[in-house]
Amino acid sequence: MAKKKLSFEEAMERLEEIVEQLEQEEAPLETAVALYKEGLSLSALCKEKLAAAEGEIVLLRKEAGLWQEEPFQAEVD
């Protein structure tokens, strides 16, 4: 895929296409490796965009006086 700035939604859509192609198990090995590599890159991009969005939300909440840090509590079944 061409190196352009993708939105989160575009990256997720392409990632879903790649997963579908790899699940079909019909791609030649070289193509599958290239798809996997592209998928890793897209996954990292999505993670980066989510972290940026989370950071922005935290900042906005702090500025609005809505931020309360809570300790992590594991769910118990």
Side-chain angles (χ1 to χ4, degrees), residues 1-7 10 45:
M1 179 157 248
K3 297 268 183 178
K4 70 168 195 154
K5 292 275 186 179
L6 295 176
S7 69
E10 291 169 330
L45 175 69

Side-chain angles (χ1 to χ4, degrees), residues 22-33:
L22 290 174
E23 285 177 342
Q24 291 177 1
E25 299 178 8
E26 295 177 7
L29 179 61
E30 293 81 14
T31 303
V33 170

Side-chain angles (χ1 to χ4, degrees), residues 8-75:
F8 176 81
E9 291 77 11
E10 291 169 330
M12 283 298 296
E13 184 176 319
R14 177 62 183 143
L15 194 52
E16 289 171 1
E17 291 171 1
I18 290 171
V19 169
E20 286 177 18
Q21 287 178 332
L22 290 174
E23 285 177 342
Q24 291 177 1
E25 299 178 8
E26 295 177 7
L29 179 61
E30 293 81 14
T31 303
V33 170
L35 287 170
Y36 185 79
K37 186 176 180 179
E38 182 183 355
L40 287 176
S41 177
L42 289 167
S43 176
L45 175 69
C46 288
K47 183 178 179 180
E48 179 182 307
K49 288 187 178 283
L50 283 174
E54 181 181 20
E56 187 174 348
I57 289 169
V58 167
L59 180 61
L60 290 170
R61 289 181 57 93
K62 283 181 180 180
E63 289 174 355
L66 301 173
W67 179 255
Q68 286 184 309
E69 198 166 326
E70 297 177 9
F72 175 75
Q73 294 180 359
E75 290 184 22

